[in-house]
Amino acid sequence: RRPQCLVTILGEPAPAGCGCGVEHLPLSVEPYQDADVPGFGRLVGVFGPIVSEVYGSTETGLISVMPAQNPHYKPGSCGRPLDDVVVEIRDADGRRLPANATGEIWARTPRSLACDLPGTYLHRDSNGFIATADLGRLDEDGFLFVTGRTAAHVPMELRRAG
């Protein structure tokens, strides 16, 4: 499911030379299904190389970025982990999985929360890795693919600010 603003943008004709002064347009959405990849391509077509797909969480901050102009672009991937981020894919027992195996995404970043948020799904290990409650895989080249949510994820109550 794409956010309504993207559906609107994709439904509009491409503006001639956008000229909006935006230098970077990070796009963080629910995991793309294969059918959504052309939508990402359409956004790149409208806005040019300022578009990038990003992945992160409240608890970890930014984990990976896939710039549109990346010469190693892999459809469906949200890029490689940032230089200061370590990502592991783990099974339900917390054991690290090999390349291309699907499991829960665990990340250690310098931006990880040092405390737990009340009422959230937050599992942290003794090495500073945080379970994201997202499912995914790392391919043999280190590209991250987010494929869904874990069954253990329980949505927290959200409150609107303002």
Side-chain angles (χ1 to χ4, degrees):
R1 207 182 88 200
R2 288 187 216 152
Q4 184 58 44
C5 63
L6 296 182
V7 172
T8 301
I9 289 170
L10 293 173
E12 295 294 321
C18 183
C20 53
V22 176
E23 294 179 11
H24 185 71
L25 181 62
L27 179 64
S28 177
V29 296
E30 292 180 27
Y32 276 127
Q33 300 298 321
D34 289 340
D36 289 319
V37 173
F40 182 73
R42 171 87 169 110
L43 286 171
V44 173
V46 170
F47 292 101
I50 65 168
V51 177
S52 61
E53 187 171 355
V54 299
Y55 170 70
S57 73
T58 301
E59 296 82 10
T60 63
L62 194 58
I63 292 173
S64 67
V65 176
M66 174 66 87
Q69 71 271 19
N70 188 328
H72 303 292
Y73 179 70
K74 295 189 177 198
S77 171
C78 53
R80 285 188 176 119
L82 299 172
D83 289 340
D84 56 357
V85 173
V86 180
V87 170
E88 293 182 354
I89 305 300
R90 298 184 183 179
D91 66 16
D93 295 320
R95 291 183 298 258
R96 190 172 177 188
L97 295 173
N100 291 308
T102 298
E104 185 169 12
I105 300 169
W106 287 69
R108 181 176 63 208
T109 79
R111 296 163 294 283
S112 293
L113 287 178
C115 62
D116 295 347
L117 296 174
T120 64
Y121 169 89
L122 184 62
H123 292 141
R124 181 189 325 269
D125 73 8
S126 60
N127 295 315
F129 281 86
I130 293 177
T132 65
D134 291 322
L135 294 173
R137 65 182 177 85
L138 285 168
D139 74 6
E140 61 282 347
D141 298 319
F143 284 84
L144 180 62
F145 294 79
V146 180
T147 59
R149 300 289 281 164
T150 65
H153 172 71
V154 179
M156 62 183 271
E157 180 182 344
L158 299 177
R159 298 188 183 201
R160 188 175 189 175

